[in-house]
Structures are given as C-alpha cells and as structure tokens.
Amino acid sequence: MCNLYAQTKSQDAMRQVFRGVLEDGEDLIDTAGNLAPASGIFPDYDAPIIPRSEGRDWTLTTARWGMPTPPVYLAGKRTDPGVTNIRNVSSPHWRRWLGMEHRCLVPFTSFSELDARPGAPRNNPVWFALGKDRPIAFFAGIHTEWTSVRKLKEGEVTAELFGFLTCEPNDVARPIHPKAMPVILTRPDEWRCWLTADTSEALKLQRPLANGLLEIVAEGTRADPA
C-alpha cells in the first residue's frame, strides 16, 4: 500500500505537462494557490489533483488524501481517517465514484513502499520514480466531497477527498512490495482516457506499469531526497 509519495515539481511544470491532454476549447484552470514542492506527502495531507471543471475545462486544485472508508470498517470508531489506495473497484462502495465526474489525475514525481526484501531494515522506505530526474507522472485517482470526522480535534468537516487505484506490482516493485503498486499513467492518451472514457474503458488502465519504466531512486528516508 502506497502511503507516502512526493511531488517536487512546480505548478507551472504540472500545467505544462497537462497541456498534452487539452483539446481545442479546453483549458486548465489553476485554483490551487501557492503550492510548495512536497518531498513527502502522507495520508490526510492536502495534495494537488486535476479533476474535471465546469464545461470543457479542467482544474488544478488540492484535496485531502484519503477517500471515505467503507462503513463496515468504521463500526465503533469515532473518526474516519480515509482510504488512500483502492484496489477492489467491483465493490459497491467504490463503484459510485468510478464515473468520469469523480475521476482525477494525481501528479507525483516519486512514491515509496516499505521494503519487504529478505534482510531489509525494519520500516525501510524504498522510493520509485520514472527516472533519476523524477519526471512528472500521474496516479489514476478518484475524488469526492464528503462530510466526516477525520480527526477528533477537528470535528466534523466537509472536504474534497481523493485516493488512487492500485494493481498488481510490476517486476521492479514486486520484490519490495509484493501485494500491489499504484496505477501509474505516463502518456497523454492514458491521461485523457482515464479522465474522459466510459468506466469500462477507463478501468482497463488498472494494470501494472510496463517493466522498464520504473526504477528505484532512493532508500531509507521518509522524504524523497531529490
């Protein structure tokens, strides 16, 4: 389960990368304010996402990482910290948010998994990226507005929440984390498909990133040292 990632590029870099998605008459509207590069994004942190805006436009905005938890797991609990990673898209709890109006892209430059290799140090993060220069890519995300108690000291809040899909790990991720890896989209045609295709077509993207596109770029730190 990916519970730590980084997005260290500028807002302008995110906007420029997303230009490959835009068609005539479309625009990306930046409502995110001043976003500082983030070398460590943890659950319930605010982070950038790109969802559909009104009309033919898209929005660069922020949301809290962690979608609403299925009610069966909240029995007897006073808070809902959220679910960061979504695998079982056949669940009725998640199906409601798989339509294009709830899909988004989650920009990232690297992500971390705890090292499960034999002999690895305890709780040793391993960082993955598409290259040493950490180019921007996107997780296949979903988002929704939701009212809940995330933290007792905060009380009930209404917030925009997001999470992203996971899938079987590829050959690079599997030795580190054999259970899953995030669904990573690297090309404008994939980004467009995730955002605009019907649900059955979009979910074909829930597959491991092709071998050879991902590499280990750092180990042993709770933030990407890039």
Side-chain angles (χ1 to χ4, degrees):
M1 176 181 291
C2 175
N3 275 329
L4 175 60
Y5 72 98
Q7 202 306 108
T8 57
K9 303 299 185 186
S10 68
Q11 280 169 262
D12 185 61
M14 286 185 269
R15 291 192 296 263
Q16 292 301 318
V17 166
F18 189 76
R19 289 177 66 87
V21 172
L22 298 176
E23 295 184 348
D24 290 344
E26 295 180 343
D27 197 8
L28 176 64
I29 300 168
D30 188 345
T31 65
N34 293 320
L35 288 176
S39 59
I41 298 171
F42 293 86
D44 208 39
Y45 277 35
D46 284 340
I49 64 170
I50 300 178
R52 170 72 83 176
S53 184
E54 294 185 5
R56 289 175 54 81
D57 291 332
W58 309 92
T59 303
L60 176 61
T61 186
T62 60
R64 290 173 76 159
W65 187 18
M67 288 286 285
T69 301
V72 66
Y73 298 111
L74 293 177
K77 297 184 178 179
R78 301 169 65 190
T79 63
D80 177 4
V83 176
T84 56
N85 300 175
I86 295 95
R87 179 73 173 270
N88 181 17
V89 294
S90 64
S91 162
H93 181 77
W94 300 120
R95 282 204 305 265
R96 74 183 98 173
W97 295 308
L98 295 177
M100 66 179 70
E101 68 275 14
H102 287 288
R103 287 185 231 135
C104 65
L105 297 175
V106 181
F108 78 97
T109 49
S110 59
F111 71 93
S112 173
E113 301 283 10
L114 292 180
D115 197 343
R117 291 174 293 188
R122 179 178 171 82
N123 294 326
N124 183 56
V126 176
W127 288 88
F128 301 89
L130 299 186
K132 294 292 192 297
D133 57 345
R134 275 67 161 184
I136 294 174
F138 295 99
F139 299 131
I142 57 175
H143 70 102
T144 192
E145 185 179 85
W146 195 257
T147 300
S148 62
V149 178
R150 307 279 291 188
K151 300 175 180 177
L152 285 177
K153 65 179 180 181
E154 201 177 40
E156 188 174 81
V157 296
T158 299
E160 190 70 19
L161 310 177
F162 79 95
F164 46 77
L165 270 57
T166 61
C167 60
E168 290 290 329
N170 67 7
D171 287 354
V172 174
R174 187 177 300 109
I176 309 300
H177 194 260
K179 293 184 178 180
M181 70 178 294
V183 173
I184 297 171
L185 310 177
T186 62
R187 305 191 313 267
D189 63 307
E190 294 177 330
W191 308 337
R192 184 88 194 179
C193 178
W194 178 249
L195 291 173
T196 66
D198 63 58
T199 302
S200 60
E201 187 67 22
L203 286 177
K204 293 178 182 178
L205 295 169
Q206 191 184 19
R207 77 288 183 267
L209 185 66
N211 293 321
L213 297 182
L214 195 67
E215 60 181 277
I216 294 174
V217 294
E219 297 188 34
T221 62
R222 296 286 285 168
D224 186 351

